[in-house]
């Protein structure tokens, strides 16, 4: 059993939890993820690691309540336990000095971006962060990310905070200003990562994206998380979750992610969440 | 006295009933039938059946006790060599092993050794399992990676020898393929759990959620334990590598079966993990995993369940019993048929598979006749779900993360007969060493490795 030792409500649908998981915390690195299962009848779901504390032996997860499992997870409190918590899974981010990096986080994708921003800054990169959300209330970790960024920009769909528009608009401005960009890291909704990758492809800027497809085991066994990267089939759980954004078939990913939408709704309705 | 030429029938659920449930298909022998069947055994002096058994069970020995009605003695003999008899009595390919060597084959059918083994295991289970005496504690510690048939066997044997054994399992449930792969109707999970429980009662500690290679490395284990056994299986699904294989509606057999078996998707929404298959399901491949998938699809409500295979019936690698069961249940076999591409609608949803007819040519490396496409014989078949069951490769996670470990050409871990790898103290066995094979061969490998590990740790200061 893995105890919840801290819980924070970041917005109406976004919650943060620190989970006691000594072995996972000992090995966790930026870019990796965990798989959890709440109880005996639960589903295994992957969540990207938002932070870790080796001394306390905790892993921080931040999740948006979108399906049955995340909604149920949101109802748990400090002192409650999760039945299973396995990780760290996937390959860590390739952290090195790229010169100037642009780190883009959209919505709940801001959470896994945070440890990467931190690690890139510690490696001596000049870090420009762009955070985006539908509105101000869905923004998160602004302060934390700011403290490891040399520049921070915000874009909201409705203009409630920062620039009105999309994160890709801010990136376009940086490119137009002829900023030397060594690498772009984008984590967020699939459509956001696609738009960012399409933009940077034109300018030949290396772009990494972190994918979150449907998974079951998370150890390379089932292939449910397969994505087409440069025409080759890759498993996000063991080959990823980070891939070259210019090679990912985002359209296929969006289609596959819709596989169980009806079942998810049925499950939520039945559980009354 | 004349010997009955045929095996005693084992009663089973009728096909039209069983395709509506996930309950086990055969019911097993009753005591009277078991005794009668055991009396067919000739008690041959040269014991050909034992030679055919990968775990060297004293088959005439336990059968003799059954024929005398002494089931307790029979169980004792059986369990000196196997810790998983209820599993073996259900999924072993006896026809190629013990039963394949039986002298009675000269006059008819062999003794139903598999059914008798199953009878004994179930008899013991109903009565309450007796825990054997453990060996004197040796003070040696062994780590076993993976709790499938190889790992469990190795762990059980080592525990009986008096070593302290810890098993590290990546998933939340034990028993590997016995839990995630083989369906409930062929191997009830309660049976698997009981076998695992027996291993635990021998003193084996099983730790879940530990992905060795990620959560902890083999090198770290080697630091804390006197030896490490790797039994991580053949978990990597193979693909057809034809266009459209990533369409929505195409599953690997691993994903399909893991969802249904381990995650219990057949009980959705009582269990949270869903499965969706539509009305027409095509399974590609003709091994046991393919039969399991096609039969599972029927139980999930598929109106049509195809097996699509590029060779003919004779070359199908599945056991005759599984093929027979699949046919009885109404699985439709499309043989000498090879998929060329999957076709989807504008939403990326699988709707059809285009196949080409094949004919058999000269034998290939495997000794089976090579299938050759017949030009211009393409045909489209309407399907909603495709399940790819053309085999698995060794799981690459550990081979990739242990420096200096010698790897074979299929990504398997290279070992000698007794499971020794290129690194002293690291042993391996089962599908991770041989590539995908059978439960019983994995158990045999676990058994041999346990002996080699025993010798190794005792020789260490």
């Amino acid at each position: 059993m893995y105890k919840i030792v801290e819980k924070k409500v970041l917005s109406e649908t976004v919650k943060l939890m620190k989970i006691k998981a000594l072995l996972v915390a000992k090995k966790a690195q930026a870019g990796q993820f965990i798989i959890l299962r709440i109880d005996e009848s639960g589903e295994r779901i992957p969540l990207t690691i938002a932070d870790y504390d080796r001394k306390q032996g905790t892993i921080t997860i931040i999740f948006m309540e979108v399906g049955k499992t995340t909604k149920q997870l949101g109802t748990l409190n400090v002192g409650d336990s999760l039945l299973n918590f396995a990780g760290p899974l996937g390959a860590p981010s390739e952290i090195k000095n790229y010169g100037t990096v642009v780190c883009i986080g959209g919505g709940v994708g801001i959470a896994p971006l945070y440890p990467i921003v931190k690690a890139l800054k510690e490696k001596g990169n000049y870090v420009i962060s762009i955070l985006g959300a539908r509105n101000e209330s869905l923004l998160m970790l602004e302060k934390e990310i700011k403290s490891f960024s040399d520049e921070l920009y915000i874009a909201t769909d409705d203009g409630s905070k920062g620039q009105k528009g999309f994160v890709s608009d801010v990136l376009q401005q940086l490119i137009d200003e002829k900023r030397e960009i060594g690498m772009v890291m984008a984590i967020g909704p699939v459509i956001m990562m696609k738009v960012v990758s399409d933009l940077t492809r034109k300018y030949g800027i290396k772009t990494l994206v972190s994918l979150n497809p449907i998974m079951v085991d998370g150890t390379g066994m089932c292939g449910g998380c397969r994505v087409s990267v440069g025409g080759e089939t890759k498993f996000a759980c063991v080959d990823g979750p980070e891939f070259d954004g210019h090679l990912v078939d985002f359209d296929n990913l969006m289609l596959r992610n819709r596989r169980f939408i009806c079942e998810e709704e049925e499950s939520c309705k039945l559980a009354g969440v | 006295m004349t010997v009955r030429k045929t095996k005693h029938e084992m009663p089973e659920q009728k096909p039209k009933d069983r395709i509506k449930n996930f309950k086990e298909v055969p019911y097993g022998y009753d005591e009277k039938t078991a005794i009668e069947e055991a009396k067919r055994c000739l008690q041959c002096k040269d014991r050909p059946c034992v030679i055919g058994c990968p775990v060297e069970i004293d088959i005439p020995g336990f059968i003799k006790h059954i024929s005398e009605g002494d089931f307790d003695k029979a169980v004792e003999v059986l369990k000196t060599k196997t810790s998983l008899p209820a599993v073996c009595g259900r999924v072993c390919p006896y026809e190629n092993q013990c039963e394949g060597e039986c002298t009675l084959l000269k006059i008819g059918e062999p003794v139903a050794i598999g059914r008798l083994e199953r009878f004994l295991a179930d008899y013991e289970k109903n009565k309450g399992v007796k825990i054997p005496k453990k060996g004197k504690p040796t003070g040696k510690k062994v780590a076993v990676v993976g709790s499938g048939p190889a790992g469990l066997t190795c762990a059980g044997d080592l525990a009986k020898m008096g070593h302290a054994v810890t098993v590290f399992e990546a998933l939340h449930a034990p028993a590997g393929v016995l839990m995630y792969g083989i369906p409930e109707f062929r191997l009830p999970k309660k049976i698997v759990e009981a076998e695992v429980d027996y291993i635990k009662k021998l003193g084996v500690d099983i730790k879940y959620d530990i992905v060795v290679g990620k959560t902890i490395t083999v090198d770290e284990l080697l630091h804390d334990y006197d030896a490490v056994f790797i039994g991580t299986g053949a978990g990597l699904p193979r693909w057809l590598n034809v266009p459209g294989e990533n369409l929505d509606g195409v599953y690997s057999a691993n994903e399909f079966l893991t969802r249904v078996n381990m995650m219990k998707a057949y009980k959705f929404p009582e269990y949270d993990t869903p499965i969706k298959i539509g009305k027409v399901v095509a399974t590609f491949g003709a091994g046991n995993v393919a039969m399991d998938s096609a039969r599972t699809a029927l139980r999930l409500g598929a109106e049509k369940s195809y097996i699509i295979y590029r060779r003919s019936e004779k070359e199908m690698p599945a056991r005759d019993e599984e093929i027979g069961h699949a046919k009885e249940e109404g699985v439709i076999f499309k043989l000498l048929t090879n998929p060329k591409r999957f076709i989807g609608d504008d939403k990326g949803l699988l709707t059809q598979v285009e196949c080409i007819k094949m004919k058999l040519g000269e034998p290939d490396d495997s000794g089976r006749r090579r299938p050759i496409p017949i030009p211009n014989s393409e045909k489209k078949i309407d399907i909603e779900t495709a399940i790819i069951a053309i085999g698995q490769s060794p799981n690459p996670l550990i081979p990739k993360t242990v420096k200096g470990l010698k790897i074979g050409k299929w990504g398997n871990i290279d070992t000698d007969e007794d499971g020794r790898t290129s690194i002293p103290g690291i042993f391996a066995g089962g599908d991770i060493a041989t590539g995908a094979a059978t439960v019983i061969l994995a158990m045999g490998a676990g058994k041999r490795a346990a002996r080699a590990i025993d010798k190794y740790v005792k020789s260490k200061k």
Side-chain angles (χ1 to χ4, degrees), chain A residues 33-35 45-48 62-63 66 70 108-109 112 187-190 193 209-215 224-225 227 236-237 241-243 250 253 256-257:
Chain A
F33 67 96
I34 56 93
I35 285 211
I45 62 156
L47 288 172
T48 316
I62 295 177
F63 55 94
V66 285
T70 42
V108 78
I187 309 179
V190 180
M193 295 190 280
V209 293
S210 179
L211 307 183
N212 194 5
I214 295 172
M215 287 186 192
C225 67
V227 283
C237 68
E242 285 173 17
F243 293 104
F250 290 104
L253 178 61
R256 290 182 57 86
N257 275 349

Side-chain angles (χ1 to χ4, degrees), chain B residues 173-182 189 192-193 257 261-262 264:
Chain B
V177 73
L178 305 177
M179 193 64 86
Y180 73 73
I182 304 178
K189 299 311 148 213
V192 179
E193 280 161 18
L257 291 174
N261 299 329
M262 189 175 78
K264 297 193 164 48

Side-chain angles (χ1 to χ4, degrees), chain A residues 27 87 221-222 226 259, chain B residues 215 220 245 248 252 254 276:
Chain A
K27 289 284 164 66
M221 196 179 85
C222 83
R226 64 193 188 276
R259 172 104 195 127
Chain B
T215 316
E220 285 169 304
E245 209 166 15
D248 182 1
S252 73
N254 271 2
K276 189 162 82 177

Side-chain angles (χ1 to χ4, degrees), chain B residues 136-144 154 157-159 161-165 221-222 224-229 420 424-427 448-461:
Chain B
K136 231 176 78 198
T138 59
K140 300 290 181 185
K141 287 164 67 188
V142 182
V144 169
C154 188
D157 281 13
L158 286 166
M161 294 167 186
H163 305 300
V165 186
L221 289 177
L222 208 51
D224 295 339
Y225 293 82
D226 295 296
V228 178
F229 174 78
R420 292 178 195 89
I426 301 182
F427 298 76
R448 287 194 303 278
R451 265 183 237 146
I453 291 169
D454 180 56
K455 226 196 251 167
Y456 172 81
V457 295
K458 281 179 178 160
S459 72
K460 267 177 79 176
K461 276 187 210 134

Side-chain angles (χ1 to χ4, degrees), chain B residues 115-407:
Chain B
R115 293 173 185 178
L116 289 175
E117 180 181 23
R118 176 198 155 123
F119 163 77
L120 275 187
D122 292 356
Y123 163 83
E124 193 203 17
K125 217 135 274 164
N126 291 334
K127 203 181 158 204
V129 176
K130 226 173 78 191
I131 304 304
K133 272 195 215 125
K134 284 172 242 176
K136 231 176 78 198
T138 59
K140 300 290 181 185
K141 287 164 67 188
V142 182
V144 169
V145 185
S147 67
L152 284 180
T153 303
C154 188
D157 281 13
L158 286 166
K160 283 189 209 162
M161 294 167 186
H163 305 300
V165 186
T166 308
V167 177
F168 296 88
E169 169 56 51
L171 300 174
H172 61 261
V177 73
L178 305 177
M179 193 64 86
Y180 73 73
I182 304 178
E184 180 76 19
F185 56 83
R186 200 148 76 83
L187 181 63
K189 299 311 148 213
K190 279 242 163 359
I191 300 270
V192 179
E193 280 161 18
E195 304 270 62
V196 172
D197 201 49
Y198 173 75
I199 302 279
K200 283 205 265 192
K201 284 190 177 137
L202 291 172
V204 172
D205 183 24
I206 305 181
K207 292 191 187 301
Y208 299 101
D209 299 333
I210 299 194
V211 186
V212 174
K214 291 284 177 189
T215 316
I216 192 164
T217 63
V218 172
D219 291 334
E220 285 169 304
L221 289 177
L222 208 51
H223 186 262
D224 295 339
Y225 293 82
D226 295 296
V228 178
F229 174 78
I230 300 167
T232 47
L236 185 71
R238 292 207 191 122
W239 302 101
L240 291 163
N241 292 316
V242 298
E245 209 166 15
N246 290 346
L247 284 167
D248 182 1
V250 183
Y251 296 99
S252 73
N254 271 2
E255 180 184 1
F256 178 71
L257 291 174
T258 301
R259 281 180 180 275
V260 178
N261 299 329
M262 189 175 78
M263 305 310 297
K264 297 193 164 48
Y266 68 96
K267 291 187 180 169
F268 178 86
E270 183 193 337
Y271 282 75
D272 291 343
T273 305
I275 188 83
K276 189 162 82 177
I277 60 162
K279 293 196 176 80
V280 186
V281 176
T283 301
F284 297 83
N288 291 325
V289 174
M291 299 305 142
D292 285 345
S293 302
R295 295 173 68 195
T296 297
L298 286 175
R299 284 161 175 79
L300 291 172
E303 287 167 12
K304 273 189 189 160
S305 179
Y306 297 120
I307 286 275
I308 297 182
Y309 180 53
R310 62 194 181 128
R311 301 182 200 247
S312 74
E313 173 146 8
K314 218 180 103 207
E315 289 81 20
M316 295 203 292
R319 296 181 56 210
D320 289 346
E321 187 180 324
E322 306 309 330
I323 296 167
H325 275 143
K327 280 186 180 166
E328 282 170 18
E329 290 171 8
V331 171
I332 302 161
F333 287 74
K334 288 187 175 285
L335 305 176
L336 291 166
T337 304
N338 205 25
K340 281 187 81 174
R341 65 183 175 121
F342 292 106
I343 301 161
D345 64 11
D346 54 352
K347 293 190 194 82
L349 206 63
L350 176 71
T351 54
Q352 283 184 316
V353 58
E354 184 180 295
C355 294
I356 187 162
K357 280 306 246 183
M358 310 291 277
K359 60 179 181 194
L360 292 179
E362 294 300 308
D364 63 11
D365 297 345
S366 72
R368 296 179 299 179
R369 292 176 65 191
R370 189 193 304 273
I372 305 163
I374 300 171
N376 304 317
S377 66
E378 284 87 350
K379 215 179 128 186
K380 288 176 187 155
I381 306 167
D382 291 339
I383 58 171
E384 284 168 81
T385 294
I387 300 166
I388 316 298
I390 55 166
Q392 294 92 236
S393 305
N395 191 314
L397 202 53
I398 290 190
K400 265 191 193 162
T401 53
V402 184
K403 264 192 211 126
L405 192 62
K406 202 172 158 221
I407 305 302

